Amino acid sequence: MEEAADAKARKTGVRLCCLCDQRRAALKRPKTLEQICRECFYKVFEEEIHQVIVENQLFKPGDRVAIGASGGKDSTVLAYVLSELNHRHNYGLDLFLLSVDEGITGYRDDSLETVKRNEIQYGLPLKIVSYKDLYGWTMDEIVKMIGLKNNCTFCGVFRRQALDRGAALLKVDKVATGHNADDIAETVLLNILRGDIARLSRCTSITTGEDGPIPRCKPFKYTYEKEIVMYAYFKRLDYFSTECIYSPNAYRGFAREFIKDLESIRPRAILDIIKSGEDFRISTNTKMPEQGTCERCGYISSQKWCKACVLLEGLNRGLPKLGIGRSRGLDNDGRKDVKHSTGTKNIESKQCGTLDF
């Protein structure tokens, strides 16, 4: 049926795929503006990700890899593609789905249902860790106390640590996240706007946290968000598409809109921003934070207390804004402390938040 349609298209002058010149073009790639058919799109999309994995040596045979799964398009496509490539190219990986339940009613509870279906669809074991269990708070409870202005600060800090703790429970060697090219370009701009030199120096790294407990990698580093959406749509993947109800005022949203405007004028702008971030050189005179471990929960930190413990201290004392902004670590009396601590990198046996207080 499809072959007959392609033959008819050839006769009627309909544009054919510029790669195979056999089938009808189904889309224009946002990254290259090539007009290609679905089959060729699947092939180049998956091959580009495979090449990124191989060239950057993201995994080793026998690695246990946790895929950060939120139920959204990025993590769903990542789980599907990694599972496919693992079989096709014999990576020899043990893959797991790792989800974080922030406790957002009407958003995360629905998206986790999608992840549970993905667990069955892809045959990948699922582990869910929650803010309530780790920190004693849900995001719904935090928002009631802090409001909508700074809630993303809490969620971002807690989620990063929750992923590491979930990964430690799974005893994985690496965590793979669905951060795409658009996300990384946004992060480059945000770190420039904030003057955050420490993060600017590492935000374009395809693998981060190698000096911490569990490294993280980004197989989608050079993959456009629009192409991920197209792949999920054409493959009819099961994903959750609703945005977080607490994120409309997030600072990142303004950078995202700016990136979209640039992309509409010049599609390569996203890759060019990433390339610029990769080529940044930090002055040797710039003092960088020294990595140690949090004295309270054992998590990696450049201060006496990690950011999560500082934020939790504020919440538990009824002073939620205590840890907002460029706060230093706090001692047990709530005073600022700038000393660095050292200690073990192992966080598996350490508990965080109210469980350890």
Side-chain angles (χ1 to χ4, degrees):
M1 191 78 174
E2 189 173 331
E3 290 178 1
D6 292 333
K8 185 178 179 181
R10 200 175 290 107
K11 288 181 181 179
T12 56
V14 175
R15 187 179 293 275
L16 297 177
C17 172
C18 68
L19 297 182
C20 69
D21 198 33
Q22 297 293 320
R23 293 176 290 266
R24 181 186 308 193
L27 71 149
K28 180 187 286 187
R29 291 194 70 189
K31 184 190 292 186
T32 63
L33 302 183
E34 296 173 315
Q35 298 199 34
I36 60 178
C37 64
R38 292 190 186 190
E39 289 74 12
C40 286
F41 174 58
Y42 299 152
K43 188 180 298 183
V44 297
F45 182 89
E46 294 166 2
E47 181 60 23
E48 285 178 3
I49 295 166
H50 170 62
Q51 290 303 320
V52 168
I53 290 172
V54 172
E55 290 171 7
N56 294 277
Q57 299 179 331
L58 296 188
F59 310 117
K60 300 190 300 291
D63 274 354
R64 292 168 60 90
V65 179
I67 301 169
S70 66
K73 62 185 184 313
D74 298 316
S75 61
T76 299
V77 172
L78 179 62
Y80 178 84
V81 171
L82 267 187
S83 183
E84 289 290 308
L85 294 178
N86 190 34
H87 292 302
R88 186 182 307 164
H89 297 287
N90 298 314
Y91 290 164
L93 306 178
D94 287 328
L95 299 176
F96 303 85
L97 297 177
L98 174 59
S99 294
V100 176
D101 181 2
E102 299 95 338
I104 303 175
T105 305
Y107 169 67
R108 183 55 71 210
D109 46 0
D110 291 339
S111 70
L112 284 176
E113 291 303 313
T114 304
V115 178
K116 291 173 184 176
R117 292 195 297 272
N118 293 158
E119 175 188 16
I120 298 170
Q121 292 160 355
Y122 307 149
L124 301 177
L126 169 64
K127 174 70 177 177
I128 300 175
V129 292
S130 73
Y131 282 8
K132 189 68 174 178
D133 290 340
L134 291 174
Y135 310 116
W137 292 79
T138 65
M139 276 307 299
D140 286 340
E141 293 167 343
I142 292 172
V143 169
K144 281 183 181 178
M145 179 174 283
I146 190 70
L148 290 172
K149 187 174 181 182
N150 294 302
N151 56 289
C152 287
T153 298
F154 286 83
C155 197
V157 171
F158 290 167
R159 190 190 302 111
R160 280 192 295 273
Q161 190 172 124
L163 271 176
D164 279 340
R165 294 186 178 279
L169 291 172
L170 286 172
K171 294 180 168 45
V172 297
D173 302 293
K174 191 166 286 187
V175 175
T177 63
H179 291 97
N180 57 51
D182 300 55
D183 297 328
I184 296 172
E186 290 164 13
T187 304
V188 172
L189 286 181
L190 284 173
N191 288 332
I192 291 173
L193 294 173
R194 291 169 173 159
D196 196 332
I197 301 300
R199 286 193 175 90
L200 185 58
S201 67
R202 63 177 183 266
C203 68
T204 57
S205 300
I206 195 165
T207 299
T208 57
E210 292 175 294
D211 57 344
I214 301 169
R216 296 188 190 184
C217 64
K218 310 181 191 84
F220 285 171
K221 177 181 175 180
Y222 301 108
T223 306
Y224 278 31
E225 182 179 48
K226 286 181 179 177
E227 297 201 349
I228 293 173
V229 173
M230 288 178 176
Y231 187 89
Y233 174 75
F234 286 138
K235 286 282 189 177
R236 297 183 179 179
L237 300 184
D238 183 5
Y239 69 93
F240 186 76
S241 58
T242 304
E243 292 291 329
C244 177
I245 59 176
Y246 294 142
S247 68
N249 298 317
Y251 190 37
R252 178 176 286 273
F254 297 99
R256 181 175 298 118
E257 290 300 316
F258 180 59
I259 292 288
K260 296 302 180 190
D261 290 341
L262 289 176
E263 183 189 10
S264 66
I265 299 169
R266 186 168 181 270
R268 273 203 61 87
I270 290 174
L271 293 179
D272 290 340
I273 291 173
I274 294 174
K275 183 67 166 60
S276 297
E278 290 173 338
D279 291 342
F280 278 132
R281 295 293 178 267
I282 308 302
S283 170
T284 54
N285 296 326
T286 302
K287 187 176 180 180
M288 302 294 280
E290 298 176 14
Q291 293 286 23
T293 52
C294 174
E295 290 187 358
R296 204 165 197 185
C297 72
Y299 189 71
I300 190 169
S301 174
S302 59
Q303 303 295 332
K304 188 172 183 178
W305 284 11
C306 69
K307 188 69 171 178
C309 283
V310 173
L311 292 173
L312 279 169
E313 174 72 3
L315 287 172
N316 294 328
R317 290 173 55 186
L319 302 169
K321 295 185 179 180
L322 184 68
I324 298 296
R326 295 181 177 275
S327 59
R328 299 287 187 178
L330 301 176
D331 63 16
N332 291 333
D333 298 320
R335 296 189 300 268
K336 289 188 177 182
D337 190 294
V338 297
K339 294 180 182 178
H340 300 297
S341 63
T342 58
T344 177
K345 293 181 181 178
N346 180 22
I347 64 168
E348 182 185 351
S349 60
K350 299 273 188 175
Q351 291 182 313
C352 181
T354 53
L355 298 182
D356 196 38
F357 291 173

